[in-house]
Amino acid sequence: MKSTIHCLVLALVVGLVACALKPEGSGPLTYEGPYRIDLEAGQALPGTEVRYLGVGPQGARVRIDGQEVVRLAGDSVEAEARPHPTLNLRYVLRVYAYDERALHAIGTIRVELREAQPRVVPLPSKAAARFTAPVTYRVPKGGVIPGTTVVFVGKEEGRARLEGLPGYPYRNVGDSILWTGQVHPLVYLNVTFRVLLVEDAWLTVVGTAEVWLSGL
């Protein structure tokens, strides 16, 4: 069973990284990554009405869209929700085990948020859901790295000059850019970028965003 789970995770990561290697366009901020959950009996998927009811004679009892359904190992559990007017969630999961205490599922979670207002604050003490998403951005001179307060001022002596970070403002190709803060009333980020390319008019960064959903 463990080897099967590891294969599923590896396939998900490879697919998501391949998708992430496309520059982010304008519009909502979107984060998608592998997600695993141990859903206790009586508990709902964070932000949704999909709830694990426990084990019945035929298998795991799950309530989806107000109706009960039996789920076995290998069956899907999918859900979409809008816990906030500017936040959409989508889960695409597969059950890999269940018992009287919990239903265990793995797959992906997708978060789409509009009207992002990044600000530097500490991460919350706990999260209703948490996952890591690959991210790649091509930022114009004078632009902000999406989901952060970091501004690409321009190229100086082959390096990127940045604003919105504490301390030393320059980064060479291959250097890291770290940012932690809140981007939405229900969403926090812990981001690690690497500088991929510094041009006169553009900065390209690649990395990961650890997404914390809090208050669902």
Side-chain angles (χ1 to χ4, degrees), residues 37-56:
I37 188 168
D38 302 313
L39 202 60
E40 296 180 359
Q43 181 184 2
L45 271 177
T48 79
E49 296 299 324
V50 175
R51 190 176 303 274
Y52 179 47
L53 303 177
V55 177

Side-chain angles (χ1 to χ4, degrees), residues 107-177:
T108 62
I109 180 174
R110 177 184 173 90
V111 172
E112 183 181 282
L113 61 96
R114 300 176 300 282
E115 301 177 13
Q117 297 182 336
R119 62 192 185 101
V120 176
V121 298
L123 293 170
S125 58
K126 60 181 180 178
R130 179 175 158 187
F131 67 100
T132 299
V135 286
T136 299
Y137 299 117
R138 191 165 183 253
V139 184
K141 182 177 180 179
V144 180
I145 299 178
T148 76
T149 58
V150 181
V151 178
F152 172 48
V153 177
K155 182 178 181 180
E156 295 184 10
E157 298 181 356
R159 305 169 299 177
R161 177 169 179 141
L162 306 172
E163 287 183 352
L165 289 173
Y168 191 69
Y170 296 102
R171 297 295 189 277
N172 287 308
V173 170
D175 286 349
S176 61
I177 301 172

Side-chain angles (χ1 to χ4, degrees), residues 15-211:
L16 290 169
V17 168
C19 291
L21 293 177
K22 300 177 181 178
E24 184 76 7
S26 60
L29 287 176
T30 302
Y31 302 98
E32 185 173 6
Y35 185 69
R36 178 184 179 275
I37 188 168
D38 302 313
L39 202 60
E40 296 180 359
Q43 181 184 2
L45 271 177
T48 79
E49 296 299 324
V50 175
R51 190 176 303 274
Y52 179 47
L53 303 177
V55 177
Q58 296 178 306
R61 297 169 51 227
V62 180
R63 180 179 293 129
I64 303 176
D65 293 334
Q67 297 181 318
E68 186 173 323
V69 64
V70 172
R71 283 292 183 257
L72 304 177
D75 286 349
S76 64
V77 176
E78 298 186 4
E80 293 188 19
R82 182 177 289 184
H84 186 279
T86 59
L87 179 65
N88 294 331
L89 304 178
R90 176 167 172 75
Y91 296 88
V92 180
L93 307 174
R94 289 278 174 180
V95 177
Y96 68 85
Y98 60 87
D99 54 30
E100 293 82 2
R101 296 179 57 188
L103 179 144
H104 311 281
I106 191 171
T108 62
I109 180 174
R110 177 184 173 90
V111 172
E112 183 181 282
L113 61 96
R114 300 176 300 282
E115 301 177 13
Q117 297 182 336
R119 62 192 185 101
V120 176
V121 298
L123 293 170
S125 58
K126 60 181 180 178
R130 179 175 158 187
F131 67 100
T132 299
V135 286
T136 299
Y137 299 117
R138 191 165 183 253
V139 184
K141 182 177 180 179
V144 180
I145 299 178
T148 76
T149 58
V150 181
V151 178
F152 172 48
V153 177
K155 182 178 181 180
E156 295 184 10
E157 298 181 356
R159 305 169 299 177
R161 177 169 179 141
L162 306 172
E163 287 183 352
L165 289 173
Y168 191 69
Y170 296 102
R171 297 295 189 277
N172 287 308
V173 170
D175 286 349
S176 61
I177 301 172
L178 308 179
W179 189 89
T180 299
Q182 185 180 25
V183 293
H184 182 276
L186 303 179
V187 183
Y188 295 76
L189 297 180
N190 187 27
V191 183
T192 301
F193 294 115
R194 289 282 176 182
V195 176
L196 188 64
L197 185 63
V198 182
E199 303 171 273
D200 291 333
W202 296 90
L203 171 70
T204 303
V205 295
V206 61
T208 58
E210 187 180 48
V211 183

